[in-house]
Amino acid sequence: MSGFVFSEKPIEMVEGDGAYLYDDSGREYLDMGASYACVPLGHSHEAVRSAVLDQFDRLTYVQASYPVEVRTRLYERLAGIGPGDLDNVWLCNSGTEANEAALKFARAATGNSKIIATKLAFHGRTMGSLATTWKDKYKKPYEPLMGNVEFVDYNDPDALAAAVDEETAAVIVEPIQGEGGINPASRAFLERAREATVDAGAALVFDEVQTGMGRTGTMWACETAGVVPDMLTSAKGLGNGFPVGTTLCRDWIAENYGSHASTFSGGPVISAAAEATVSTLVETDVPGNAGEVGEYLRGQLAERLGDSIREVRGQGLMIGIEVRRGSNRVLRDLALDHGVLALPAGRTVVRLLPPLTIGREQADEVVDALETVLG
Ligand SMILES: *Cc1c(COP(=O)(O)O)cnc(C)c1O
């Protein structure tokens, strides 16, 4: 028997608790990847558990056209945390769908079709989002994809401004590129993207599927630059492990989005998971902890790993460590010899996206392990 598409790791996980996972032999692992940022509150979080079980007992599913109380509360929560006046909420099931919706909405609202994306970007794997993703490895076997996409250098404000014109529907940017290697956007780049899209009447879309939900020390990474987009997409950590994505939009988009829907959009149980996640993030200032522990961890990594690494990048608890050899070997040694799970971001970057609830103790644990592995 073999799983199609996914390559399997040689460890079977059977239990999760906070920042830790346990395999079938009872071995403990510190989960510094949170399975790609999907459990910002840690594994088996009590608030999410009880919200999901309560909702399951009351109403598991009803078609999306009936209002459901918990989904209405989620809409309010998301509109409340959305930057600026991004008060309109579309719910879906994943990051790629959130971006797919943003691309469709931008086309409908502007009447244009051209999309500007950035080199090294990752926006998902459905045909539209995939067309805005950079790497050929993900795209080539499936071409032709959605047309009229132009890529510009990340962090080149002039190139971006030159590419945006009267035919442009949207510019889509990750405020920190995740898959591309943990590359933070400069403030100048995001500001110029804002100016150019306003001038051309195009939509500015920030893909915060990975950077969102408090990971960078604020609810959204774009808050650091103070730039408010027309649409913001999120997913990964939104349901603390449950499949849910969102596209937040300004009024001018929501008033003219065309016709879009999805059967499972905002299902009651998924909405309960997301509502409990967002409420907990807000009420216990989880982003504040991510900012504080992230700063400590990045400081320790730079100080203690010194010349054994090239660079530490990122913000909050979205961290990339550029190592001097293949990252896969480092990740393997971390997992098997030290029980620390991390992620790659390209060939030479070790990526940390831990639960946002970790403390300095866990930060020290990963620095100790890296010191030994790289020493
Ligand atoms: C993971 C990711 C996506 C795709 O999300 P899926 O839920 O896997 O479809 C899109 N954009 C960014 C920035 C991501 O990190």
Side-chain angles (χ1 to χ4, degrees):
M1 187 204 75
S2 85
F4 183 54
V5 178
F6 277 100
S7 63
E8 283 182 6
K9 307 243 178 270
I11 308 169
E12 181 169 336
M13 296 302 180
V14 295
E15 212 181 304
D17 183 13
Y20 294 92
L21 284 169
Y22 299 86
D23 72 11
D24 55 355
S25 72
R27 183 171 181 196
E28 181 180 274
Y29 298 85
L30 174 60
D31 187 7
M32 289 300 290
S35 287
Y36 290 91
C38 288
V39 285
L41 300 175
H43 296 278
S44 309
H45 192 275
E46 180 49 36
V48 179
R49 177 183 181 275
S50 59
V52 164
L53 293 181
D54 270 9
Q55 189 57 49
F56 184 91
D57 288 342
R58 218 166 325 146
L59 174 65
T60 305
Y61 186 74
V62 65
Q63 70 187 73
S65 42
Y66 292 104
V68 172
E69 191 261 347
V70 70
R71 185 171 62 232
T72 306
R73 273 193 286 129
L74 175 59
Y75 285 153
E76 282 163 11
R77 272 290 185 195
L78 288 172
I81 63 170
D85 48 1
L86 274 70
D87 296 334
N88 304 282
V89 181
W90 159 249
L91 292 172
C92 57
N93 316 286
S94 66
T96 197
E97 281 174 81
N99 287 328
E100 199 77 29
L103 298 173
K104 286 178 73 177
F105 296 172
R107 281 188 164 189
T110 64
N112 290 329
S113 70
K114 186 166 111 177
I115 310 289
I116 315 289
T118 57
K119 293 179 186 174
L120 297 180
F122 185 86
H123 297 298
R125 297 177 190 257
T126 53
M127 292 301 234
S129 303
L130 186 58
T132 65
T133 289
W134 172 247
K135 264 197 202 164
D136 269 347
K137 182 178 94 173
Y138 301 141
K139 295 193 289 192
K140 270 278 177 271
Y142 310 111
E143 287 178 342
L145 305 173
M146 177 185 78
N148 218 355
V149 179
E150 193 179 320
F151 289 91
V152 299
D153 281 323
Y154 194 71
N155 278 340
D156 184 339
D158 293 339
L160 180 71
V164 179
D165 59 22
E166 303 299 310
E167 318 273 274
T168 305
V171 171
I172 182 164
V173 182
E174 295 157 88
I176 300 175
Q177 287 184 330
E179 204 63 29
I182 312 292
N183 311 314
S186 66
R187 178 186 286 258
F189 185 63
L190 299 181
E191 282 174 350
R192 200 65 177 282
R194 181 65 286 182
E195 279 165 29
T197 44
V198 166
D199 290 349
L204 179 60
V205 182
F206 284 162
D207 176 348
E208 297 233 20
V209 170
Q210 194 166 144
T211 51
M213 313 321 300
R215 177 146 301 277
T216 63
T218 46
M219 192 57 79
W220 309 111
C222 67
E223 289 172 41
T224 308
V227 176
V228 179
D230 299 294
M231 285 186 267
L232 181 150
T233 60
S234 200
K236 288 201 165 87
L238 175 56
N240 208 55
F242 286 83
V244 54
T246 190
T247 308
L248 307 180
C249 320
R250 287 190 196 237
D251 289 345
W252 73 271
I253 304 277
E255 282 157 10
N256 229 327
Y257 73 94
S259 167
H260 186 66
S262 168
T263 298
F264 285 122
S265 167
V269 170
I270 296 303
S271 293
E275 202 279 333
T277 302
V278 176
S279 295
T280 306
L281 285 170
V282 170
E283 279 155 24
T284 61
D285 190 23
V286 172
N289 186 69
E292 193 185 309
V293 177
E295 193 178 335
Y296 171 76
L297 175 53
R298 281 180 286 116
Q300 291 292 300
L301 288 166
E303 194 182 310
R304 288 178 52 198
L305 300 181
D307 284 343
S308 66
I309 58 168
R310 287 181 199 279
E311 195 186 16
V312 178
R313 295 193 290 268
Q315 200 180 318
L317 285 171
M318 179 168 186
I319 301 175
I321 305 157
E322 182 98 41
V323 291
R324 294 182 184 276
R325 49 184 149 122
S327 55
N328 275 332
R329 185 60 198 270
V330 176
L331 293 170
R332 208 197 70 145
D333 291 351
L334 276 176
L336 298 182
D337 298 344
H338 299 273
V340 172
L341 307 176
L343 302 162
R347 277 186 307 112
T348 57
V349 177
V350 172
R351 174 167 38 160
L352 305 180
L353 303 169
L356 306 180
T357 49
I358 63 164
R360 291 187 176 208
E361 190 188 318
Q362 281 88 24
D364 289 337
E365 199 179 319
V366 69
V367 183
D368 288 347
L370 272 165
E371 206 171 29
T372 313
V373 168
L374 297 173

